[in-house]
Each structure stands twice: as structure tokens, then as C-alpha cells.
Amino acid sequence: MRQGCINILQVCRINIFDYFCTMMKRRNTATQEAVLAVLTSKRRAMSQDAIVKQMDVRADRATIYRILNRFCEDEIVHKIVADDGKQYFAVCIKCDEKTISNNHFHFRCTKCETIECLPTIVEFSAPQNYKVQQMNCVLVGVCKDCD
Amino acid sequence: MRQGCINILQVCRINIFDYFCTMMKRRNTATQEAVLAVLTSKRRAMSQDAIVKQMDVRADRATIYRILNRFCEDEIVHKIVADDGKQYFAVCIKCDEKTISNNHFHFRCTKCETIECLPTIVEFSAPQNYKVQQMNCVLVGVCKDCD
DNA sequence: TCATTAATGCGACAAGGTTGCATTAATATA
DNA sequence: TATATTAATGCAACCTTGTCGCATTAATGA
């Protein structure tokens, strides 16, 4: 399932999670639905503990991590490791098969402690004979809401 | 002590560590000297355990971290958090007071497991009213030596 | 309705990093 | 050179983040 699809689904008012379950042959569970609901509503990259705090269903830490990693495998979520060493997860847009899912900048606000996916694509020029397969770029500072 | 100075010192064959001790009013200890020696000789960003392995002097884990963080405060070393969540430290060049010490890309090679400071400066354009104070940009892939 | 097995909860664990505190030793001063 | 000061160190304990094994639960297909 391409992530660009998610936006189309939202516009068409199709339940993303149901669609995801059918497409990826995943079971429809309350916990998974809750995790995805939080991520899609917040539209930010969130850490496991931040996600749990926003959830109405209680669930084990290991379970949340398993769900998030599953979402990453299925490519409906991508993972960022911030400069605090923690993993953050975000539902993000990616329509082109060829692009790296993490090809944009992220912004971590030190005041509100959230991470945002910026629309800016990372332009890099690696030296000759270097093969770039992934990237993890985080800008750190204060976002417009906290300034 | 500005980091650009380090290169000048090397050219002039002045002992960097002695200079550092006088300038920053730090005590001259074998452990600190060893850590800096490893970092300057390898010219890569290294993790605490990688540094220890290369050292001829034995030292406690906590001590190494304290030394590295002190070097960061004194701005002769900068810290990168890679996508594996670990901290890496590198002696790097920075001549301009105004630039962010981490303003360049880093490359983590998944084969030789090292992190290199690339000469490429990160060009970013944060949205309006976002204040960027730090950055942490890591490209991941295979370096020229491992290809 | 039942069988299959994906998903979960629990507990244990590992790695990475930090902190408190007593001890050691580098430096400044007499 | 001897002494006082205190930065630097070692050790142990601790915290946080993330993972894994295994028994149990429950979603799905037949």
C-alpha cells in the first residue's frame, strides 16, 4: 500500500484502517486501530510513549512497538531516530515507488517535544561511489507554535 | 577554542591536547589525551565502545562519556546520533563562529559500521518562524571502500 | 462452530547512557 | 619541594528505550 493512497482514502472517506487490514492481510484489532488513529490525527512523528498517552485503549509497550514496526514494514508509517536517540513514527506521504520514504527533513521542537515532517526534500550530493539507501535528517529548534 | 584551529595546530606541529588543556583550563590526563588521540587519528565519528577498543589506556565507560561530553562543551568535538540511536563523536572543522557545528552531512556505512563527516553542508529551508538551532543529518548506505 | 494462527500481555533481558559518591591525582600556591 | 584545592576518575547503581520468548487470547476463514 503506497502512502500517497492514504490521503486519497481520507478524501473519499474510506476507513483507512479497514482498507489497510484487507490490503496487507492484517487482523482488525482495537489496539492497531487506536495507534493508527493517533498517528493520523496528530500528523506528527510520535514516540511510543507519546502515542500511548493519546490512546483510549490500553496496551502493552511491546505490543505498541510490534504494531509500529509492522506499520513500517507495510510502509504506511516511517521511522525517524531523533537526536535524543529515540524512535519516532509518522504516517507520511510517499507516492513514488522510487523515492526513499524518509527523504524529507524532520523538525524536532525542543519546547513542545514533537517532531514534524517538513515538506522540504533533502538535497544531498554524496561523494562518488557512495550508495545512499536511507537517510535520517532532523533539524532541531523551536517551531512556530512555540515561539 | 575554534575547531578550525586544530588543523592549523597540526600543520604547525603543536600538540593539540596541550594547547587544549591550557586554553580550556582542563587538566592534562592520560585518558583524555588517549581519547582525543583516537578521534584525531581515525578522523571518523566513533561511538564510545569503538573509541575504547582503540585506546591503549584503560578507562571506565562513564569516564569516557564524561570526557566526550566535555569535549563537546569545549567545542573541539561534535556529537551525532545515528539512526541506530547511538551517539557518535567526531573532531571536526568549524571556523566560523556563526555556523552550527553539525552543519554537514554524515554518512553511516552499514558494512564497515563507521560514520564519516562528509564535506557537504546541509542546505535547508525551514518554514517561516521556525528557529533551527541544531541539526543531525545522517545518510545511510555503503561507502566507497566497502562497495 | 471450529481450527488456525496472528496479535497480545507479561516478564525478562540487553544496550546505551547518566548520576552519586568516594578516591585519586593534576595543578597552583606557599 | 611540600601542601591544599578541586578536577578527573572508578565503581556501582540506576534509568530509559527497545527487543524477545512464550503462553494466552481472539480475529479470521472454512
Side-chain angles (χ1 to χ4, degrees):
Chain A
M1 175 165 162
R2 302 282 90 216
Q3 287 177 36
C5 300
I6 283 189
N7 282 16
I8 296 165
L9 290 171
Q10 285 177 328
V11 169
C12 301
R13 291 168 182 271
I14 295 168
N15 184 309
I16 297 164
F17 185 62
D18 287 348
Y19 186 81
F20 158 73
C21 290
T22 338
M23 292 300 289
M24 302 309 292
K25 295 188 181 157
R26 298 294 187 192
R27 294 190 178 173
N28 186 328
T29 69
T31 317
Q32 288 191 96
E33 185 166 17
V35 171
L36 191 59
V38 170
L39 287 179
T40 46
S41 70
K42 289 283 162 189
R43 295 176 173 280
R44 295 255 167 156
M46 299 172 78
S47 62
Q48 179 270 334
D49 57 305
I51 294 170
V52 169
K53 276 180 201 157
Q54 297 291 331
M55 279 171 56
D56 41 0
V57 188
R58 69 146 260 117
D60 191 68
R61 196 159 52 102
T63 305
I64 307 283
Y65 275 113
R66 275 189 277 235
I67 290 173
L68 290 168
N69 287 327
R70 219 146 51 210
F71 284 170
C72 284
E73 281 174 38
D74 295 345
E75 294 188 67
I76 61 165
V77 154
H78 69 275
K79 186 195 289 191
I80 311 116
V81 178
D83 58 319
D84 58 3
K86 286 169 67 178
Q87 302 180 349
Y88 290 75
F89 301 86
V91 176
C92 225
I93 293 142
K94 173 190 156 196
C95 286
D96 185 355
E97 284 277 348
K98 287 165 197 163
T99 54
I100 298 171
S101 61
N102 257 342
N103 68 344
H104 51 275
F105 278 109
H106 297 88
F107 188 91
R108 182 165 80 88
C109 177
T110 48
K111 286 202 181 166
C112 60
E113 279 302 336
T114 65
I115 295 191
E116 213 176 321
C117 293
L118 297 183
T120 329
I121 301 297
V122 179
E123 304 283 354
F124 64 92
S125 60
Q128 257 199 333
N129 302 324
Y130 280 64
K131 278 184 193 154
V132 178
Q133 292 155 342
Q134 283 294 324
M135 59 184 71
N136 192 81
C137 295
V138 184
L139 306 179
V140 186
V142 184
C143 77
K144 65 173 193 303
D145 300 336
C146 295
D147 193 28
Chain B
M1 177 166 162
R2 298 284 91 217
Q3 286 179 35
C5 299
I6 283 189
N7 282 17
I8 295 166
L9 290 171
Q10 284 176 329
V11 169
C12 301
R13 292 169 182 272
I14 295 169
N15 184 305
I16 298 162
F17 185 62
D18 287 348
Y19 186 83
F20 158 74
C21 289
T22 337
M23 291 300 290
M24 302 309 294
K25 297 188 181 159
R26 299 294 187 191
R27 294 191 178 173
N28 186 328
T29 68
T31 317
Q32 288 190 95
E33 186 165 19
V35 171
L36 190 59
V38 170
L39 286 179
T40 46
S41 69
K42 290 281 161 192
R43 292 173 173 283
R44 295 254 168 159
M46 300 174 75
S47 61
Q48 179 270 334
D49 56 304
I51 294 170
V52 169
K53 277 180 201 156
Q54 298 290 329
M55 278 170 58
D56 41 1
V57 189
R58 68 145 263 116
D60 191 69
R61 198 159 51 103
T63 304
I64 308 282
Y65 276 113
R66 275 188 276 233
I67 290 173
L68 290 168
N69 287 326
R70 217 146 50 209
F71 284 171
C72 285
E73 279 174 38
D74 295 345
E75 296 189 67
I76 61 166
V77 155
H78 69 274
K79 184 195 288 190
I80 311 115
V81 177
D83 56 320
D84 58 2
K86 285 170 67 179
Q87 301 180 350
Y88 290 76
F89 301 85
V91 175
C92 226
I93 293 143
K94 173 192 156 194
C95 288
D96 186 354
E97 284 278 349
K98 287 168 197 161
T99 54
I100 297 171
S101 62
N102 257 342
N103 67 344
H104 51 275
F105 278 108
H106 297 87
F107 189 90
R108 181 165 82 88
C109 175
T110 49
K111 285 201 182 166
C112 59
E113 279 302 337
T114 65
I115 295 191
E116 212 176 323
C117 293
L118 297 183
T120 329
I121 302 294
V122 178
E123 304 282 355
F124 64 92
S125 58
Q128 258 200 332
N129 302 326
Y130 281 64
K131 278 185 194 155
V132 177
Q133 291 154 341
Q134 283 295 325
M135 58 184 71
N136 191 82
C137 295
V138 185
L139 306 178
V140 186
V142 184
C143 77
K144 65 174 195 304
D145 300 336
C146 295
D147 191 28

